[in-house]
Amino acid sequence: MQTYQKFFHQLLLMYRPFENRLNVHLAEHQLYRAQWTILYYLANNGTATLVELSHYMSVEKPTVTRTMTRLEELGYVEHVVGKDKREKRMQLSAAGQKIYQDIRVTIDQFEQEILEGITEKEQINAIRIMGIIRDNITNKG
């Protein structure tokens, strides 16, 4: 088996267990990964349109709309006026900021646990490599 084949095989074997365990931790807060991804994006980028979020998450806009509707029902996100009044921008509400901080503690512990034995330098290199692969997928697909 070629190295690149082993690489992608390991990636596929890692993805599902990671997402399953992440969802277990998020379930403690009555959320799922897609909802967490939006909370994460808004916490780190301020506001976003549904289109921006759909591009970030690499999913269709209706998928983001459903997830955003649920987050809105929970009181975690709210509308904010954009430059263009037709533009529908969203941001974390006060409750959303609080739940993000609460969940962040849980996720930080989980992520540190599963990265045990991997140096920061190795993590930085892996982040760089994953970024290049993602760019290759999105720019050549």
Side-chain angles (χ1 to χ4, degrees):
M1 187 181 298
Q2 298 293 321
T3 302
Y4 69 89
Q5 293 169 334
K6 291 178 186 175
F7 178 90
F8 287 106
H9 184 71
Q10 285 300 313
L11 180 66
L12 291 172
L13 290 176
M14 178 186 66
Y15 176 76
R16 197 50 123 177
F18 170 77
E19 186 168 47
N20 289 342
R21 283 201 48 207
L22 178 64
N23 277 327
V24 166
H25 290 294
L26 291 171
E28 297 169 17
H29 303 276
Q30 290 77 49
L31 291 176
Y32 296 98
R33 187 207 41 84
Q35 295 163 326
W36 169 246
T37 301
I38 290 174
L39 293 177
Y40 176 89
Y41 184 91
L42 294 175
N44 289 283
N45 295 287
T47 67
T49 65
L50 299 178
V51 171
E52 289 167 351
L53 287 167
S54 70
H55 289 300
Y56 173 73
M57 297 171 69
S58 298
V59 296
E60 299 296 322
K61 187 178 168 224
T63 303
V64 173
T65 301
R66 284 190 300 276
T67 305
M68 190 62 80
T69 298
R70 179 66 183 136
L71 290 171
E72 215 171 347
E73 290 168 357
L74 292 167
Y76 296 154
V77 297
E78 61 192 8
H79 296 272
V80 63
V81 178
K83 297 173 201 153
D84 180 344
K85 292 192 187 316
R86 294 170 294 170
E87 183 180 62
K88 184 178 178 182
R89 295 197 75 77
M90 303 297 285
Q91 70 180 11
L92 290 181
S93 65
Q97 291 171 11
K98 181 178 181 340
I99 195 72
Y100 175 80
Q101 292 306 319
D102 292 347
I103 297 171
R104 187 75 261 172
V105 171
T106 303
I107 299 304
D108 284 350
Q109 291 170 346
F110 168 59
E111 290 174 346
Q112 288 170 9
E113 171 192 318
I114 65 175
L115 286 172
E116 188 174 316
I118 302 170
T119 68
E120 185 174 2
K121 185 177 180 181
E122 291 170 323
Q123 291 174 45
I124 290 167
N125 197 36
I127 292 165
R128 182 185 64 76
I129 291 166
M130 288 187 292
I132 293 168
I133 293 169
R134 185 169 194 270
D135 287 346
N136 286 343
I137 291 169
T138 57
N139 295 331
K140 294 177 182 168

